[in-house]
Amino acid sequence: MKFELLGWKCEGLRCPDFNFEIDKSGNATATFLQMPNGTGKTTTLRLLKRSLYNHQFKSTEIDQYKAKLKKEYKDKGFFQAKYKIEGNIFYTQINFEFDKNNSYYTSSLSEKGGFHKGFQLPESLENIIDQELIDLLFVDLEIDVKPMFRNHQTGAQEAIRKFCKINLIDLLIKDFDDFKTKKRKENAPSGNISVQIDTEETRFNKIINKIEKLEKIKLDYKKYLNETEDEFNDGEKQLNDILESNTVSNKKRKDLELRRDEAKSNYNNLLKNNLEAIKNIGSYDGILRNEIDDFVKALDEMGLPEEEVRIFFKKILEKKLCICGEELDHNKKLIIKEAMESFISDEESRIIGRIKGTFDNITRIEKNDLDKFSTDIQKQYSEVSRLEENIELLEKKSLKDNVELSQKIKELKEERSLRKNFLENIINERWKAKDTEETDSLVSLHEQKLRVEKQLATLSGTRETEEKVIFLNNTLKSAMEKAMLEISIQITKECNKKIDKMFVKNPIYIRSIEKNIVLDGQLEGSTGQEARIGIIFLLTILERSSIEFPLIVDTPVKGMDNAAKRRTAQFISDLKSQFLCFVIDSDKPHFTDEFHKLTNGESNFITAFRRSNEFDNLILNQPKNLLESSHNGQVVYQYPFFKEFTEEEDGN
Amino acid sequence: MNIDQVLIDKIKEEFKEKNQSEDLIQEVINLLAKKDKENMTLEEKNITLESILNKIKI
């Protein structure tokens, strides 16, 4: 399937009124669009994205698109994009009513126009395109690609899931879940059981609501971490440089840090030893020993060798006939299984067994005084706190002229650490029997959901459907995880082959792509390195998914040295699908001029700028058929002009 | 843009390992492909889901 962007037109917006026709010659795959800063590159990229999915514009966003200059302000404006899918042309248009703070879509599925109100894509694209896909194909390297390298982000993993259609499995699992809920509701009995079902359903809904709430928080936190990453790293580096510049204080600080690390390590060891002692119940001394002694005796009085009881139940389940002589059918086995679970779980049985086991060996175990452990831990903790306070005081002194920055970075550190902890630990905490739907652990909520569903299935008599759906969904999940792993390995290999070609000196390879792109031997790359690897990654998954979609990139060579720019040009010149990028004049040496040479000029080089007296003079001698003018915007289609254009308006 | 072949192979492997029939495996893959390409009606979807569940052997 071949899908192309043919052009776009905008009027009455903050960027000048432009009318772009991307491929005038009709056979080029790459387009370079030179727009000086302040001409609306970011606005254009954003509106191109919005032109392919039904975006709900908020009033604050609408306000951002209106003309900034008073003399250019109009009550209405629009952005119209023209596309081609398998030879058929279609349009989508975003209409802005700035006077009413309103916006709406119109679309046309035919070349001749005839716009209808509402957002509509041709049928062949409807099921393929959504916001996630567009965000991957219309890329701002700073905003969209950089996060793929951050360890708390999952952009790379999501891109693979999207392009390789692994997400379909999630939809299928949801379908089966919905189906079993439907069956359960159809089977709901009346009377007392119905009340129990209602209670469980209420709990079920609370769990679902909490999961949805946490998923939203997860996204917000990821966004926050991404948005504050550069500010935090730069600020921290700046503060560190200041601290390092003061030799005497720096030496003192390093010494304190060493002692603090040592104290911390001692503290951790004490905690570890204490934990081991706590696990070894039989070694307790003093009052605690007497209490456990009573507990073990009570267990024995209750006749609890628990594991034997479970073996008894399990043996019954293996038989064809029950001890009462009746045949053990599926339903009866279920009842026995439930009785076994409610008596004591495997895990509980093992815990109690262990307690009794260690207590039986009491005479052979060395005694542990937990009170002494506690005193030592407190002492060591105070030492760590004291050293940390001293470090903080010393740092405060050294940074007395940078209080504001220091305070800002401290706040960011705390906030980021809280959010990282939430993403890495809190939502992944294991399920515990005492957990309720109030927990912040997604793992626990999913386990609770499963348990409530099982209970509901039992109450409504749909246990068989429930078990089959669980079996099927677990099989699909397992297939999905294994596929994801294998595809990630294959994509990593393919990217590294491309890196070999693109990075001649000091190549940086990808070690793995699980959640994010992990580089081999370094935590992160420079902006230029990450940009190149990011483009390689996106193109690799594009190739793999065998779709010919346009890849639209803002500032593709930002932060690259000259050699890297040349290799990027070479790499892009081999592409089969449409490529469009926005450049500024400083991107041209070694990049667009190299590309022009490589492709013998068979590419589109377009320049667009806001009109002014100075710029109008530049086009006086240009052929009219290569110009597209409006009252405030000018588009010029021609390589020589593209190459020569170097002026940028001041103040934009 | 097709469903990745690795994913299809893994689905086949997983179901085979769990002793499920070829018929069931094919129906799951067909459903996946159908979900990808077209909008199924609710009725059509429910019939397929029921048919798949009926073929599962636990």
Side-chain angles (χ1 to χ4, degrees), chain A residues 127 162 164-165 168 172 175-176 179 182-183 468 471-472 475 478-479 482 486 544-545 547, chain B residues 1-2 4 6 10 14 18 20 31-32 35-39 45-46 49-50 52-53 56:
Chain A
N127 281 332
K162 183 81 201 161
C164 299
K165 299 274 180 120
L168 277 176
L172 200 57
D175 279 348
F176 278 108
F179 184 78
K182 177 181 155 289
K183 284 273 161 195
K468 282 185 174 179
F471 169 83
L472 194 119
T475 311
S478 171
K482 287 180 182 168
E486 192 165 323
R544 186 180 177 99
S545 60
I547 57 169
Chain B
M1 193 165 161
N2 299 318
D4 201 283
V6 172
K10 292 291 166 198
E14 282 296 306
K18 291 179 180 165
Q20 300 302 313
L31 174 61
L32 213 55
K35 275 193 81 63
D36 181 30
K37 298 274 184 249
E38 54 195 270
N39 292 323
K45 194 165 74 181
N46 283 340
L49 296 178
E50 180 108 58
I52 289 174
L53 288 177
I56 287 180

Side-chain angles (χ1 to χ4, degrees), chain A residues 423-624:
Chain A
L423 291 174
E424 287 162 15
N425 303 317
I426 294 178
I427 57 170
N428 296 318
E429 267 172 22
R430 278 176 54 200
W431 170 81
K432 293 183 268 317
K434 62 173 187 187
D435 283 353
T436 66
E437 58 272 14
E438 296 300 319
T439 176
D440 282 338
S441 160
L442 276 171
V443 173
S444 168
L445 285 165
H446 283 292
E447 177 63 30
Q448 289 182 53
K449 177 175 167 265
L450 204 72
R451 284 168 183 258
V452 175
E453 281 183 311
K454 272 188 186 170
Q455 177 69 4
L456 280 165
T458 309
L459 290 169
S460 61
T462 54
R463 195 75 190 246
E464 196 184 336
T465 310
E466 176 79 23
E467 283 183 355
K468 282 185 174 179
V469 169
I470 291 174
F471 169 83
L472 194 119
N473 284 352
N474 284 342
T475 311
L476 287 171
K477 271 182 206 160
S478 171
M480 179 165 76
E481 278 161 19
K482 287 180 182 168
M484 189 66 206
L485 187 68
E486 192 165 323
I487 294 171
S488 299
I489 293 170
Q490 289 178 3
I491 290 177
T492 302
K493 275 186 193 162
E494 194 50 46
C495 285
N496 284 339
K497 269 190 214 164
K498 291 190 171 89
I499 286 170
D500 259 336
K501 275 190 198 167
M502 202 163 162
F503 289 68
V504 177
K505 284 180 200 158
N506 307 320
I508 299 166
Y509 294 106
I510 298 175
R511 185 195 297 157
S512 65
I513 309 168
E514 280 165 30
K515 283 193 289 184
N516 57 314
I517 299 175
V518 181
L519 299 175
D520 208 5
Q522 59 192 85
L523 276 177
E524 56 185 64
S526 67
T527 303
Q529 288 165 339
E530 288 185 355
R532 273 188 291 167
I533 296 173
I535 293 178
I536 287 175
F537 170 71
L538 285 175
L539 290 172
T540 306
I541 49 176
L542 250 177
E543 272 172 22
R544 186 180 177 99
S545 60
S546 67
I547 57 169
E548 283 193 45
F549 272 22
L551 183 64
I552 300 179
V553 185
D554 192 6
T555 56
V557 288
K558 190 177 179 182
M560 290 187 197
D561 59 27
N562 295 340
K565 284 181 184 175
R566 283 196 297 274
R567 284 192 287 275
T568 305
Q570 176 124 35
F571 183 72
I572 294 170
S573 70
D574 291 335
L575 291 180
K576 290 181 189 74
S577 52
Q578 187 186 21
F579 182 85
L580 183 143
C581 68
F582 294 94
V583 291
I584 52 173
D585 59 354
S586 59
D587 294 331
K588 290 186 289 184
H590 309 281
F591 179 54
T592 54
D593 53 3
E594 179 75 14
F595 197 93
H596 185 257
K597 255 190 270 165
L598 285 167
T599 56
N600 295 320
E602 279 186 13
S603 298
N604 303 310
F605 294 93
I606 306 170
T607 309
F609 50 85
R610 185 180 289 279
R611 282 182 66 182
S612 65
N613 289 338
E614 182 196 352
F615 282 173
D616 279 351
N617 285 336
L618 297 174
I619 56 161
L620 287 178
N621 300 324
Q622 299 300 320
K624 291 278 175 269

Side-chain angles (χ1 to χ4, degrees), chain A residues 130-188:
Chain A
D130 58 19
Q131 184 180 347
E132 283 173 31
L133 183 79
I134 296 307
D135 283 344
L136 287 167
L137 293 170
F138 292 22
V139 205
D140 182 320
L141 288 178
E142 283 280 309
I143 299 169
D144 304 308
V145 172
K146 252 188 158 183
M148 291 185 180
F149 293 83
R150 304 289 168 260
N151 61 7
H152 47 80
Q153 302 286 337
T154 49
Q157 185 189 46
E158 281 153 19
I160 295 176
R161 288 170 64 95
K162 183 81 201 161
F163 278 91
C164 299
K165 299 274 180 120
I166 292 174
N167 284 349
L168 277 176
I169 298 280
D170 287 328
L171 297 177
L172 200 57
I173 287 174
K174 190 178 175 304
D175 279 348
F176 278 108
D177 274 339
D178 290 348
F179 184 78
K180 89 181 171 196
T181 309
K182 177 181 155 289
K183 284 273 161 195
R184 203 169 68 211
K185 291 200 166 150
E186 282 170 2
N187 258 31

Side-chain angles (χ1 to χ4, degrees), chain A residues 389-404:
Chain A
E389 271 170 26
N390 285 348
I391 294 170
E392 205 174 309
L393 267 175
L394 202 64
E395 285 183 353
K396 236 182 193 172
K397 247 189 195 174
S398 306
L399 298 170
K400 63 180 188 305
D401 297 331
N402 302 78
V403 180
E404 211 176 301

Side-chain angles (χ1 to χ4, degrees), chain A residues 169-294:
Chain A
I169 298 280
D170 287 328
L171 297 177
L172 200 57
I173 287 174
K174 190 178 175 304
D175 279 348
F176 278 108
D177 274 339
D178 290 348
F179 184 78
K180 89 181 171 196
T181 309
K182 177 181 155 289
K183 284 273 161 195
R184 203 169 68 211
K185 291 200 166 150
E186 282 170 2
N187 258 31
S190 55
N192 195 22
I193 292 182
S194 148
V195 178
Q196 283 185 54
I197 288 181
D198 286 346
T199 313
E200 291 298 321
E201 288 281 6
T202 310
R203 180 146 187 254
F204 181 76
N205 290 332
K206 278 186 188 167
I207 294 171
I208 297 290
N209 289 341
K210 188 68 198 267
I211 290 175
E212 281 171 6
K213 195 175 152 197
L214 288 176
E215 289 291 350
K216 266 189 202 152
I217 296 176
K218 212 168 110 179
L219 283 180
D220 283 349
Y221 280 15
K222 277 187 194 174
K223 198 172 161 218
Y224 173 86
L225 286 173
N226 188 37
E227 282 171 357
T228 56
E229 177 109 26
D230 287 345
E231 187 188 359
F232 176 69
N233 287 343
D234 293 347
E236 207 178 40
K237 190 179 173 299
Q238 211 178 319
L239 293 176
N240 218 27
D241 288 346
I242 297 167
L243 290 174
E244 301 256 328
S245 65
N246 186 338
T247 336
V248 181
S249 145
N250 191 36
K251 195 176 168 296
K252 260 191 200 168
R253 190 170 59 95
K254 291 255 156 88
D255 178 50
L256 280 171
E257 277 176 353
L258 266 178
R259 284 165 57 198
R260 189 247 348 245
D261 292 345
E262 201 183 320
K264 248 189 188 172
S265 158
N266 291 340
Y267 174 66
N268 287 340
N269 283 339
L270 279 171
L271 283 179
K272 211 174 126 196
N273 292 340
N274 189 40
L275 183 70
E276 287 306 316
I278 289 171
K279 282 196 315 200
N280 206 353
I281 293 165
S283 72
Y284 293 0
D285 210 3
I287 303 167
L288 202 54
R289 185 197 169 283
N290 297 336
E291 282 179 9
I292 293 172
D293 193 16
D294 290 344

